[in-house]
Amino acid sequence: MQDQEGHVADAGKETLTSVQTSEIEDWTKYKDDDIMQQQSSIQAEQAVKTQFVGDKEPLSSLEAEYHLGNSILLEKIKVLSEQYAALRRTRGDGNCFFRSFMFGYLEHILESQDQSEVHRIKASIEECKKTLQSLGYAEFTFEDFFALFLEQLDNVLQGSKDSISHEELLRRSRDPSISDYVVMFFRFVTSGEIRKRSEFFEPFILGLTNASVEQFCKSSVEPMGEESDHVQIIALSDALGVPIRVVYLDRSSCENNSINVNHHDFVPTSDGMGNSGVSKTTNPSITLLYRPGHYDILYPK
């Protein structure tokens, strides 16, 4: 993306309560090196065969991927199946977190028809625009991405001639001219939030890389195909005021010989505009399954 000029807004005025430091540091336990190689081969295959957003499939389909793997993973999949009914895969091309969030959120609005939530997030998006402008981004560099997401948001609300069905939402999510633009919208929103609150995010970025906040945003947030970590999830959730649950399928040890599946709820303390409260509830409407280096969408029973 283009090199942007401008000052970083005073992060000292921001409320730094999104996620406690200990919770962020706990993320490292999910980097399960023992299955990283297997997951990498799965992702390589997905990048060729999987559509941007796949069809919904039973959670039991995960078992086929690990039938020759560690027994703990198979047991954890069984535990997952007690709470979750289905999985929707996204392509493992580095954009899977943003793509999963995109489809999960728009699908939630399509099914809930929550007009107050649409009104709320539109106001948050306006604040995101102001943030980018204050950071020195020229509007023409991001306005098309913002406009396209807002169009999809309006279209999933029923009752107008432009309203779309679930089938059409899925088709659009597989169309690069729409799907990639929406991914870029989320990348700009995320980058703006990280830069705006640079003092908050800097320690965690230094824990991942030696890059500065600006370098991190230029190299790891804004470009297509760059994978997302806890920093990007926190920033996007906070910027838009949308809670996100991430469930981890890993080989972490289980206490008392019981098989447990860990999850973390990324719950913003503001609505994306610095106001108290988030989108009606802190119970996340979007649930993602994380395996090392990859995100898919989970559907509760």
Side-chain angles (χ1 to χ4, degrees):
M1 300 306 299
Q2 282 186 287
D3 185 11
Q4 309 294 339
E5 296 180 354
H7 65 280
V8 175
D10 183 10
K13 297 181 181 180
E14 293 297 318
T15 303
L16 307 181
T17 56
S18 301
V19 176
Q20 297 298 321
T21 301
S22 60
E23 293 176 329
I24 296 177
E25 290 174 345
D26 282 347
W27 180 276
T28 56
K29 70 183 180 182
Y30 302 118
K31 302 292 188 179
D32 193 344
D33 293 336
D34 290 340
I35 61 172
M36 184 68 77
Q37 185 175 357
Q38 180 185 11
Q39 185 59 34
S40 295
S41 64
I42 293 171
Q43 286 181 241
E45 183 178 353
Q46 285 181 331
V48 176
K49 298 172 62 176
T50 306
Q51 301 186 74
F52 282 155
V53 178
D55 294 325
K56 188 185 289 189
E57 57 188 84
L59 197 63
S60 59
S61 64
L62 279 176
E63 295 180 9
E65 296 182 21
Y66 297 102
H67 71 284
L68 296 178
N70 187 275
S71 59
I72 293 179
L73 294 176
L74 292 173
E75 289 298 320
K76 287 195 172 189
I77 291 171
K78 291 180 180 178
V79 172
L80 273 177
S81 66
E82 296 173 2
Q83 297 180 342
Y84 299 95
L87 169 80
R88 191 184 298 275
R89 300 175 192 269
T90 58
R91 181 178 294 182
D93 59 0
N95 301 307
C96 54
F97 164 67
F98 292 112
R99 198 100 59 190
S100 295
F101 180 88
M102 170 195 71
F103 189 86
Y105 184 78
L106 290 174
E107 184 180 44
H108 168 66
I109 298 299
L110 177 62
E111 293 177 351
S112 68
Q113 292 297 294
D114 189 343
Q115 297 196 29
S116 63
E117 167 62 8
V118 171
H119 177 76
R120 185 203 65 79
I121 199 171
K122 282 185 175 181
S124 296
I125 291 168
E126 285 301 312
E127 290 301 311
C128 292
K129 284 184 179 180
K130 293 177 183 178
T131 293
L132 289 172
Q133 291 169 338
S134 72
L135 293 169
Y137 287 74
E139 189 169 353
F140 73 85
T141 62
F142 62 80
E143 60 183 346
D144 288 347
F145 306 127
F146 275 61
L148 190 62
F149 176 73
L150 288 170
E151 179 183 335
Q152 308 315 305
L153 195 58
D154 286 335
N155 290 165
V156 293
L157 288 177
Q158 302 302 294
S160 74
K161 63 181 179 62
D162 296 320
S163 297
I164 63 174
S165 64
H166 191 280
E167 183 180 43
E168 175 62 14
L169 174 61
L170 187 57
R171 187 197 69 78
R172 292 185 182 189
S173 298
R174 294 169 175 174
D175 180 346
S177 66
I178 297 175
S179 192
D180 285 349
Y181 265 52
V182 175
V183 167
M184 279 307 308
F185 160 73
F186 290 130
R187 287 188 177 277
F188 268 111
V189 167
T190 302
S191 182
E193 183 73 8
I194 293 172
R195 289 172 185 258
K196 181 179 73 173
R197 299 168 57 204
S198 58
E199 291 183 4
F200 172 77
F201 285 106
E202 184 176 30
F204 311 119
I205 290 172
L206 291 176
L208 295 171
T209 174
N210 291 324
S212 66
V213 170
E214 182 178 1
Q215 291 169 336
F216 178 79
C217 289
K218 288 179 180 178
S219 64
S220 301
V221 180
E222 294 176 10
M224 288 290 287
E226 289 296 324
E227 294 183 359
S228 298
D229 213 313
H230 62 280
V231 171
Q232 289 92 328
I233 301 176
I234 295 167
L236 183 64
S237 176
D238 285 356
L240 296 180
V242 177
I244 305 168
R245 172 167 292 180
V246 179
V247 177
Y248 306 98
L249 180 59
D250 62 9
R251 287 184 57 197
S252 58
S253 58
C254 301
E255 298 180 358
N256 301 320
N257 296 319
S258 62
I259 300 296
N260 300 309
V261 179
N262 298 312
H263 76 268
H264 183 80
D265 289 348
F266 294 84
V267 180
T269 56
S270 73
D271 60 1
M273 298 177 288
N275 300 319
S276 177
V278 293
S279 53
K280 283 192 174 181
T281 177
T282 57
N283 186 31
S285 57
I286 301 170
T287 302
L288 306 182
L289 176 67
Y290 176 80
R291 292 174 285 167
H294 188 69
Y295 297 87
D296 291 310
I297 305 169
L298 274 179
Y299 292 89
K301 287 185 173 180

